[in-house]
Amino acid sequence: MLYFVNDYAEGAHERILDRLKETNLESTSGYGTDPYCASAARKIRESCGCPSADVYFLTGGTQTNQLVIDTMLASYEGVVTADTGHINGHEAGAIEFCGHKVLGLPHKEGKLPADALQRYMEDHYADENHSHMVFPGMAYISHPTEYGTLYTRQELADLSAVCREWKIPLYLDGARLGYGLACPESDVELSDIARYCDAFYIGGTKVGALCGEALVFTKENTPRQFVTLIKQHGALLAKGRLLGIQFDVLFTDGLYLENGRHALEMAELLRRAFEEKGYPFYLRTPTNQIFIVLENAQMEELRKRVDFSFWERLDDRHTVVRFVTSWATKESAVRELIAIL
Amino acid sequence: MLYFVNDYAEGAHERILDRLKETNLESTSGYGTDPYCASAARKIRESCGCPSADVYFLTGGTQTNQLVIDTMLASYEGVVTADTGHINGHEAGAIEFCGHKVLGLPHKEGKLPADALQRYMEDHYADENHSHMVFPGMAYISHPTEYGTLYTRQELADLSAVCREWKIPLYLDGARLGYGLACPESDVELSDIARYCDAFYIGGTKVGALCGEALVFTKENTPRQFVTLIKQHGALLAKGRLLGIQFDVLFTDGLYLENGRHALEMAELLRRAFEEKGYPFYLRTPTNQIFIVLENAQMEELRKRVDFSFWERLDDRHTVVRFVTSWATKESAVRELIAIL
Amino acid sequence: MLYFVNDYAEGAHERILDRLKETNLESTSGYGTDPYCASAARKIRESCGCPSADVYFLTGGTQTNQLVIDTMLASYEGVVTADTGHINGHEAGAIEFCGHKVLGLPHKEGKLPADALQRYMEDHYADENHSHMVFPGMAYISHPTEYGTLYTRQELADLSAVCREWKIPLYLDGARLGYGLACPESDVELSDIARYCDAFYIGGTKVGALCGEALVFTKENTPRQFVTLIKQHGALLAKGRLLGIQFDVLFTDGLYLENGRHALEMAELLRRAFEEKGYPFYLRTPTNQIFIVLENAQMEELRKRVDFSFWERLDDRHTVVRFVTSWATKESAVRELIAIL
Amino acid sequence: MLYFVNDYAEGAHERILDRLKETNLESTSGYGTDPYCASAARKIRESCGCPSADVYFLTGGTQTNQLVIDTMLASYEGVVTADTGHINGHEAGAIEFCGHKVLGLPHKEGKLPADALQRYMEDHYADENHSHMVFPGMAYISHPTEYGTLYTRQELADLSAVCREWKIPLYLDGARLGYGLACPESDVELSDIARYCDAFYIGGTKVGALCGEALVFTKENTPRQFVTLIKQHGALLAKGRLLGIQFDVLFTDGLYLENGRHALEMAELLRRAFEEKGYPFYLRTPTNQIFIVLENAQMEELRKRVDFSFWERLDDRHTVVRFVTSWATKESAVRELIAIL
């Protein structure tokens, strides 16, 4: 069975496993105070061009979003997002669980437009009753977005400008960041993200780690007693080294970007095949997620030989499906899939 | 530097790393629905002698405690524990973060006595104003306890009887369960725990896994929509296989108990040396934690060559310190330490 | 200055003040266990035609919504509402504060259409990933709605049928219920509400009480230990009699409906004047809120002599404003306003 | 039946009812923005000798404690209290409901000793693992305490000094403050409380109001967006005037203290009678609560003619009971009770 369902179906890049083995019997202190976390943080700060950044390692994306949003917001604040944002629909209410409203604005190809944010902020403060409403206290974006689309550097700059005007942080969810950074069409680098965002995370789970996300605070704005807050949220890993070692490897010799690039090459191969064979695209995306419209019968037929994701029903006869490549996708599998199409 | 600070200082048992490597490139579904989680759950159910048990895998102990306590309690209920219980002092308020009071009763060698629990339940319901008070809705114990002591089978049976009388669940935190189960002085087996407890977790992190705890519901009492609740608490791991594979290995060929036994043998060696050399024990414990009273000067001297834990100040001149062995402790290190004492 | 801003600008109906005075020095037990609460509850049960209903008295609307929604929902559930619902925009995130997502569906004149609810429920459970999403666990409506519109009996029946099919409660926010029940165009009586809804509250604050809302559970479905839950939410009034006495008076000799009727007569007078003088209506509503479109200059002029509410900007030159009548509105004030128009 | 159960069994001082009647039909703006709230706040600021104080009006004590503690603490902080503190035992977990641990220290006659607080703070920060523990972020006291005892001015000064050293606020729960301020043995005045405490509330419910507590922030330290926070906690009263008018009356012509004094005179009468008749006191208290030890048979006998509170079982044959006087206690009732004793 060919597998194109998602980018977290395999274990980890072999260099990670090797390094875990090499370091296995060293005794290190716990909770992220070990030398591997320190080394990984140093490399990430360098890659970001942000020497004063604070870096923390967490195990998953929902956990990271929940923690950042809860600890950067005041109690009376909510988080503004494109209505398609992951935190709005697919995190089981993890944000609300911590007491904060998710304020969804209409998306544009999965993105939160800066002008829509600006208007929302103006309207909120212009409303005579705004003290009876949730204050917009943060802007949340993801890059790539839920639809695999990417912000341009200018779009990030514009969002950042709005956030600074209203003194709210801009937070970027980088669950698939490697697949955004490696995109040849994108002009956004890690240093741009560090410059424009107040906090963001570099996704490991979907880009070749067993688990793990690297959370970066870029503006000397780490919430006070952050380690205690991590623990209080149930998110402090005893053997923090497990995360530190993985990110240390991912940020050595450009492995993180290499993982990203490989997935994008595989996606490009597949995308071109879909085009050539005339499959209609639901949305054009430059990263590792491909959204195709299939007739329902065609979909059922294809399902017998390939695993892919149901995305949404388009109409009675058509369905939007998603094919995802990853750091682990083999070219042979892509070619096999193409042969089937 | 010799290392006796804790039991989570190294990576994982090598069989775990080997298995992660072997299975690395298999594509599996996410969020704990993979075959390794299924296999590990099966083995755990067998080890517990509880074919109907529900098993879930989580990444850490605080997370597990927080999730179980929050989801098994009603909103108006708190959790009863020995005042020394981990949840009462050392989890950064993770239980209260989810809205529940921790009701501490005076401990007896780290344990919650059944008769104290019984009295507390009676007093609560006898109080005319008890509807203005937090309802005791669960009993929490750990085995081994925070002090490394163990419940006897009879003590578990007694606690269980009290809990059933009052219709509240008995929950056992098994962060170091392997070091309890392997103890030759103990008459408590995994099947006893499954019989007497309504929920418990088998600690992986401290007994040879990279990370991970196996949560077991024994009475067809899993909270409804538990996967959603895990996700909502930020605790659902995308690559659930990382946990499944580890527990599958730990419950193959008795590795979990083997890890426990090794640590206890190392602890016994060390314990005897402390005895022979006349070091005063703060508390006699049968597991892998040894509590010794040192003169402060002696402590400072020893610290130059050995890493151990500060436990608490005893008086102006003496300190209680803790030496911990683990699945990874080398006999040579113990002998080196003994030579120094 | 004429006052048409809202319906909670004066104290209480004089019969309430008189009764408070008459009973003032009686010693009664606290927390809602007094005879006045019991009497008021009895009268409300009778008015509802629901002898088994449970009745509780609370001090305000946000408090009541927060408490009901939090205690009737499971942790993994959210509440479905028309996107214009009060809980979605104007309660400062009180629902999310307790951990629950507000799931807004497009409104129809302020109402939640039954077919939209049905579709939402179907879509939720049809989604393969619905366990990663907030479960829709309750339908929230208000009557009158935020726009002063009313559900028909058939609409309530339809909503109720959808809720029963999916086994979720239907909850009605009756902050202005008196102004709905007294409406001659409406075919909805209190007994209909009791039949179709699983819980609802009868608003006192806006219908002639100093403060207070009567919460009714109609299906022997009061959340367990509800008094404790009220206290835990900070909502248990020591002198519960203050609420009991007020509702006892409101439900004696039809005062509650009488208050409603008076406001509607005053509104009708005013509505006809607006019509005759050719003011454009933003929305036609049958209750005590009148939404008028004013030119901005005209609005500023009128503001010098009358207090009314800004509702929203319509375009650069026009504004939607709201005039509200109440149980306390004097006919002479309405006639004065009409003379000014 | 004679009534000595508590101090919230009657309505309100008649001057309050009269003023409610006089002002009843005035139209005022909502949510505490009316002139009566402004006037009451002004008078309270004057009484406190604290012209910069911020004053808010809430409906009940649990609500006020919950709101203040939750909004003044950081997420990682808990509140330190004497273990007998009201928030620790009798508020149904309202503090933990908002996510904060209550850290109970051994009480001394119901009071929190300054040296115990100092030691707790030192120990917390001296602990190597304190970042895994709840931070002590506020000291909570009540005056009178749960046992009716009073702090001296020096004790308040000492507590305040400890709090300032550790930069945590001192918060005083004044549910029965009137009965403390009116005590001739006490050297604590309202201005002392305002000087030494960072926040406190003046209890209305138990000192002659229908409901209501006046919350005072004394150090320009009101939490940001406090009105929104009140609303979010479900505690914002629409007709804020109900609270404003009551406190305006209570702080006119010294009524608040007058109410306190009357209750204390009645208590003194009763206390002397108990003494003369040789009833053993459980605890000597200078305010309006009298704790007496009764033989169980004697208690049952007395219960037939007098309502008083069960406090706690002393031993198999004796019970501690509580007699409470209030602003509304009639001297004739006290004399009747004395005749029975």
Side-chain angles (χ1 to χ4, degrees), chain A residues 8-12 18 21 24 26-28 31 63 66 90 92 97 205 209-210 231-234 239 241, chain B residues 8-12 18 21 24 26-28 31 62-63 66 90 92 97 205 209-210 231-234 239 241:
Chain A
Y8 47 90
E10 292 82 21
D18 291 347
K21 186 122 196 177
N24 191 43
E26 296 174 15
S27 300
T28 61
Y31 306 110
Q63 182 179 86
Q66 182 179 57
H90 290 89
F97 181 66
T205 302
L210 287 167
K231 179 108 183 169
Q232 182 198 42
H233 284 70
K239 294 185 183 173
R241 65 195 264 162
Chain B
Y8 46 90
E10 293 80 23
D18 290 347
K21 187 123 197 177
N24 191 43
E26 296 174 15
S27 300
T28 62
Y31 306 110
T62 301
Q63 181 180 86
Q66 182 179 57
H90 289 89
F97 181 66
T205 302
L210 286 167
K231 178 106 183 171
Q232 181 197 43
H233 284 70
K239 295 186 182 172
R241 65 194 266 161

Side-chain angles (χ1 to χ4, degrees), chain D residues 100-168:
Chain D
H100 301 285
K101 192 176 187 71
V102 177
L103 302 158
L105 302 189
H107 75 106
K108 223 167 128 179
E109 300 200 324
K111 293 190 263 185
L112 175 69
D115 56 349
L117 177 62
Q118 173 70 16
R119 213 170 323 112
Y120 189 81
M121 299 303 299
E122 286 172 6
D123 286 356
H124 175 80
Y125 285 99
D127 193 314
E128 288 172 10
N129 292 315
H130 79 267
S131 68
H132 288 214
M133 298 161 71
V134 173
F135 281 65
M138 169 189 273
Y140 163 97
I141 58 176
S142 68
H143 181 86
T145 67
E146 206 70 2
Y147 283 118
T149 52
L150 292 173
Y151 286 87
T152 64
R153 191 189 292 161
Q154 188 58 49
E155 286 173 332
L156 285 187
D158 291 347
L159 276 167
S160 176
V162 175
C163 287
R164 279 166 205 190
E165 179 183 342
W166 295 96
K167 295 190 174 43
I168 62 171

Side-chain angles (χ1 to χ4, degrees), chain C residues 209-230:
Chain C
L210 287 167
C211 63
E213 326 295 327
L215 171 60
V216 186
F217 291 103
T218 59
K219 306 282 181 270
E220 305 189 6
N221 56 344
T222 307
R224 292 193 58 189
Q225 307 301 355
F226 197 63
V227 169
T228 307
L229 291 168
I230 297 174

Side-chain angles (χ1 to χ4, degrees), chain D residues 45-275:
Chain D
R45 277 193 293 267
E46 272 165 32
S47 296
C48 293
C50 186
S52 66
D54 261 353
V55 182
Y56 293 87
F57 300 100
L58 296 156
T59 47
T62 301
Q63 181 179 89
T64 306
N65 286 334
Q66 182 178 58
L67 181 68
V68 171
I69 293 171
D70 186 37
T71 60
M72 291 190 84
L73 289 184
S75 180
Y76 54 86
E77 293 177 329
V79 55
V80 182
T81 176
D83 50 9
T84 48
H86 199 66
I87 54 167
N88 199 30
H90 289 89
E91 290 190 327
I95 308 307
E96 293 85 357
F97 181 64
C98 291
H100 301 285
K101 192 176 187 71
V102 177
L103 302 158
L105 302 189
H107 75 106
K108 223 167 128 179
E109 300 200 324
K111 293 190 263 185
L112 175 69
D115 56 349
L117 177 62
Q118 173 70 16
R119 213 170 323 112
Y120 189 81
M121 299 303 299
E122 286 172 6
D123 286 356
H124 175 80
Y125 285 99
D127 193 314
E128 288 172 10
N129 292 315
H130 79 267
S131 68
H132 288 214
M133 298 161 71
V134 173
F135 281 65
M138 169 189 273
Y140 163 97
I141 58 176
S142 68
H143 181 86
T145 67
E146 206 70 2
Y147 283 118
T149 52
L150 292 173
Y151 286 87
T152 64
R153 191 189 292 161
Q154 188 58 49
E155 286 173 332
L156 285 187
D158 291 347
L159 276 167
S160 176
V162 175
C163 287
R164 279 166 205 190
E165 179 183 342
W166 295 96
K167 295 190 174 43
I168 62 171
L170 177 60
Y171 166 58
L172 184 147
D173 173 339
R176 293 191 164 98
L177 189 54
Y179 304 126
L181 294 176
C183 176
E185 297 174 31
S186 169
D187 63 353
V188 171
E189 298 184 8
L190 203 45
S191 58
D192 299 312
I193 289 172
R195 184 177 323 117
Y196 292 126
C197 297
D198 300 278
F200 67 98
Y201 81 84
I202 302 169
T205 302
K206 292 176 174 166
V207 194
L210 287 167
C211 64
E213 326 296 325
L215 171 60
V216 186
F217 291 103
T218 60
K219 306 283 182 266
E220 306 190 4
N221 56 345
T222 309
R224 291 193 61 190
Q225 307 300 356
F226 197 63
V227 170
T228 306
L229 291 168
I230 297 174
K231 178 107 183 170
Q232 181 197 43
H233 284 69
L236 190 62
L237 205 62
K239 294 186 184 173
R241 65 195 265 159
L242 168 61
L243 304 172
I245 290 166
Q246 294 187 90
F247 274 95
D248 198 44
V249 172
L250 286 171
F251 278 80
T252 297
D253 299 335
L255 178 59
Y256 190 69
L257 279 185
E258 188 184 315
N259 280 348
R261 246 178 332 250
H262 174 76
L264 264 64
E265 284 166 15
M266 295 301 102
E268 189 52 27
L269 215 64
L270 186 54
R271 198 178 282 113
R272 262 185 280 135
F274 277 122
E275 266 171 8

Side-chain angles (χ1 to χ4, degrees), chain B residues 50-234:
Chain B
C50 186
S52 66
D54 261 352
V55 183
Y56 293 87
F57 300 100
L58 295 157
T59 47
T62 301
Q63 181 180 86
T64 306
N65 286 334
Q66 182 179 57
L67 181 68
V68 171
I69 294 171
D70 187 37
T71 60
M72 293 191 84
L73 289 183
S75 179
Y76 54 83
E77 293 176 329
V79 54
V80 182
T81 175
D83 50 8
T84 48
H86 199 66
I87 54 167
N88 199 30
H90 289 89
E91 291 191 326
I95 307 307
E96 292 86 358
F97 181 66
C98 291
H100 301 285
K101 193 176 186 72
V102 177
L103 302 158
L105 303 188
H107 75 106
K108 225 167 126 180
E109 299 201 323
K111 294 191 264 185
L112 175 69
D115 56 350
L117 177 62
Q118 173 69 15
R119 212 169 327 113
Y120 190 83
M121 299 303 299
E122 287 171 5
D123 286 354
H124 174 80
Y125 285 99
D127 193 313
E128 289 172 9
N129 293 314
H130 79 267
S131 69
H132 289 214
M133 297 160 72
V134 173
F135 281 65
M138 167 187 275
Y140 163 97
I141 58 175
S142 68
H143 181 85
T145 68
E146 206 68 2
Y147 283 119
T149 52
L150 292 172
Y151 286 87
T152 63
R153 192 189 292 161
Q154 187 57 49
E155 287 172 331
L156 284 187
D158 291 348
L159 276 167
S160 174
V162 175
C163 287
R164 278 164 207 193
E165 178 182 344
W166 295 96
K167 294 192 173 40
I168 62 171
L170 177 60
Y171 167 58
L172 183 147
D173 173 339
R176 292 193 165 99
L177 189 54
Y179 303 127
L181 294 176
C183 176
E185 298 173 30
S186 169
D187 63 352
V188 172
E189 297 184 10
L190 203 46
S191 58
D192 299 311
I193 290 172
R195 184 177 322 117
Y196 291 125
C197 297
D198 300 277
F200 67 98
Y201 82 82
I202 302 170
T205 302
K206 292 176 174 166
V207 194
L210 286 167
C211 65
E213 326 295 326
L215 170 60
V216 185
F217 291 103
T218 60
K219 306 283 182 267
E220 304 189 7
N221 56 346
T222 308
R224 292 192 59 189
Q225 307 300 356
F226 197 63
V227 169
T228 307
L229 291 168
I230 298 175
K231 178 106 183 171
Q232 181 197 43
H233 284 70

